[in-house]
Amino acid sequence: MRLIQLILLCMVMLGFYAHSGNATSFEREYLTYVQLSIESNVDINQPISLSAMTAPAKPNPSKLRLKGRFNFSPIAGLSHLTLVEESDAYHFERRTRPAAFTQARVFLPDISIDFVQSGQNIIPTNQTLQLSEHANWDYIVGVGGIWQEPDDSGYSRISMPFTLVEKNQNCVHNGALSFLVNEQGKTTNFYYQISSETCLYYKVNMWGKGQVTFTEKNIAGANKIVDEYRIEQKNRFPTQPLSHLKQQYPDINLDNISLSNSISALDLSSVGVILNDQHYVSDCETRFGFYPFCSQLVLPSYSTAKSIFAGIAMLYLEQIYPTIFQQKISDWIKECKGQQWQGVTFGHLLNMSTGNYQSIGHGIDEAAPHSQIFFKAKSHHEKLNYSCGQFAHQRPAGNTFVYHTSDTYLLGSALNYFLNTQLKILKPQATTSVFEHVFVEKLWPLLQLSPVAFTVQKTADAEQQAFTGYGMFFIRDDIAKLAHFLMNQSNHQDAYLNSQRWQKTLQRSLSGDELKTQYKFIRYTNSFWKQNISDYLGCEKDTWLPYMSGYGGIAIVLAKHNMQYYYFSDTNQHNWRETIKELNEITSLCR
């Protein structure tokens, strides 16, 4: 996939880019009842300011109390797409697909949501990734608002965030939709618009109108849904604008923290600093004003999942199954019975040190044309055949780091087989997956992550194997909680990750377990990166900061127990040294 560059790497190079929130100015627009009414079917021939889908500062509360289902269907003649940017490789691939596939990309999938209303909030019962019948897009729908405005003919106005997710890929395109509904359940058309994304290779504006129907019905567990929403909101990290850092620390250069001199705000999805239990956040700028639901903006994991999924899962399961790092892949994956896999362990896969590769060069195997066999494959069988058979044995396992997303996929597959075998010893009928067992059932409820995080992309077959090395989704609060959790494991009464191994992963000196990469100042261990920042900061001792990296320009830096930093962008730039220099002015990062 265009993921081709996938990690061209998200991989290394230091990363960060942000913005300080100087968005293009748009006056608040207003979609009138006439524009939205079914009778008029007025076309809107260009994108508008997203302020049209933002409640006013003091909205009039709606008197409606709704629950049931909304069904959204686009109107072909009123759906628009304009290309903003597209990579050559993706352009070629898209043009080689059948015409019907390419044409379908213009239209939204049919979207259905069951929901409950709590006050002025419209809460979908399912806020995770929803698979659709559309050729190109799956979707996520978040919590919207309901209010009234003058001249709406007695209707109430609803606005909701939604995200299009490219099928079999991790790109996200964030949008909003809005429509009117009255006491009899009659609705207008809905207007939708997408003006931003986290997607390096395909950037578009999408907008148009569609039909929406409302069906009133009882929602099972409605009170529980509302309670869970309130609890999740209550337990979010307290946020402040990123600009407040400058007020507290006047000597810092905020442009370096937001990297506004290095990257356009339009290419940046989110930036945050977690400092002393406060979450300092950027705005969410789009090509047409600020995104109305910034706190719900969906962020793709890309290869940060190698750390968050594979790394955390292994260190969590090692607490229960101490031999898991030594398990041999050939004992669990029948497709990996070849000679090149003899002696290769789960730990080797986690560290991408199998000894099986074609080129030792930085990202060469990952970006080679043959990698598209893996990334485009939709079935578990296809992905396994590539992962087990593509690379010849070159060196003994455990010595040489070569970046392969296929290694992480193999590990995820083997972990599923291993875990289910262990659980069946206690419960013969037990069937689960690592993602369900470790994250959905254990860690994500513990951390009180958003519903968005409780999903992962999987193969489109009966096996439904998680991609493991990419394919997760988060909102910015999830990232803050995860980073804080990882940096403060030692402060928990109960250690959820293997303490000895995790401390070595985190420590800012080299433990001896780290593998050398193709860059002398970067190491790799347990699916986490470490970067030597001592020369840049003038540290007396070598100081190695652990971090996670993702395709397109994503980084989560575990700087210190009281400070973490992240950014999500799509410029393929991976350089957060200027930021670290400023953060070092707030609290010393030297060892």
Side-chain angles (χ1 to χ4, degrees), residues 63 85 112 127 148 158 222 254 256 259 264 292 302 305 329 456 486 511 518 555 577 581:
K63 297 179 181 178
E85 187 177 337
S112 294
Q127 298 170 52
Q148 287 189 310
I158 292 176
L254 194 61
N256 286 337
L259 292 186
S264 166
Y302 275 112
I329 184 69
V456 67
L486 290 173
S511 68
Q518 292 75 16
R577 287 196 167 193
K581 193 172 183 179

Side-chain angles (χ1 to χ4, degrees), residues 49-236:
S49 168
L50 286 174
S51 62
M53 287 177 275
T54 306
K58 295 182 179 180
N60 294 321
S62 170
K63 297 179 181 178
L64 296 184
R65 291 296 177 266
L66 305 172
K67 60 180 177 180
R69 172 173 294 175
F70 287 129
N71 292 303
F72 303 93
S73 297
I75 299 172
L78 302 178
S79 297
H80 306 277
L81 181 150
T82 58
L83 182 64
V84 176
E85 187 177 337
E86 184 177 40
S87 70
D88 291 340
Y90 189 68
H91 175 81
F92 175 78
E93 178 186 330
R94 189 166 58 82
R95 292 302 182 188
T96 59
R97 296 288 188 97
F101 180 89
T102 300
Q103 292 166 2
R105 187 171 292 276
V106 175
F107 306 112
L108 298 187
D110 289 339
I111 295 174
S112 294
I113 60 164
D114 287 349
F115 72 94
V116 295
Q117 181 179 347
S118 175
Q120 304 302 298
N121 296 120
I122 301 296
I123 308 171
T125 60
N126 191 335
Q127 298 170 52
T128 64
L129 179 67
Q130 302 296 295
L131 305 183
S132 79
E133 298 299 320
H134 196 282
N136 309 94
W137 305 115
D138 295 322
Y139 63 87
I140 298 168
V141 181
V143 176
I146 182 171
W147 71 93
Q148 287 189 310
E149 298 210 26
D151 304 322
D152 276 350
S153 300
Y155 282 68
S156 290
R157 184 171 292 255
I158 292 176
S159 183
M160 304 188 75
F162 75 96
T163 301
L164 295 187
V165 177
E166 187 178 5
K167 282 186 176 293
N168 204 39
Q169 311 299 339
N170 209 178
C171 265
V172 299
H173 297 253
N174 285 294
L177 60 84
S178 188
F179 61 97
L180 308 179
V181 60
N182 67 11
E183 292 180 351
Q184 289 74 44
K186 181 181 178 181
T187 59
T188 63
N189 284 332
F190 73 96
Y191 175 78
Y192 68 90
Q193 185 169 312
I194 291 172
S195 306
S196 65
E197 59 285 302
T198 309
C199 189
L200 176 65
Y201 53 82
Y202 187 63
K203 302 179 182 184
V204 293
N205 293 319
M206 295 177 66
W207 74 99
K209 295 169 73 173
Q211 298 173 337
V212 53
T213 59
F214 166 59
T215 304
E216 185 175 12
K217 69 172 191 175
N218 288 324
I219 300 297
N223 291 337
K224 181 181 179 182
I225 292 167
V226 172
D227 288 344
E228 289 176 345
Y229 169 71
R230 290 174 177 170
I231 291 170
E232 192 255 323
Q233 292 290 303
K234 180 181 179 182
N235 286 286
R236 285 188 178 181

Side-chain angles (χ1 to χ4, degrees), residues 272-307:
V273 176
I274 303 96
L275 176 64
N276 298 327
D277 297 327
Q278 292 289 313
H279 188 189
Y280 297 87
V281 298
S282 64
D283 297 313
C284 301
E285 190 172 344
T286 80
R287 290 178 287 274
F288 292 90
F290 290 114
Y291 187 62
F293 303 95
C294 193
S295 66
Q296 295 188 72
L297 189 82
V298 176
L299 304 167
S301 70
Y302 275 112
S303 287
T304 62
K306 292 179 174 67
S307 311

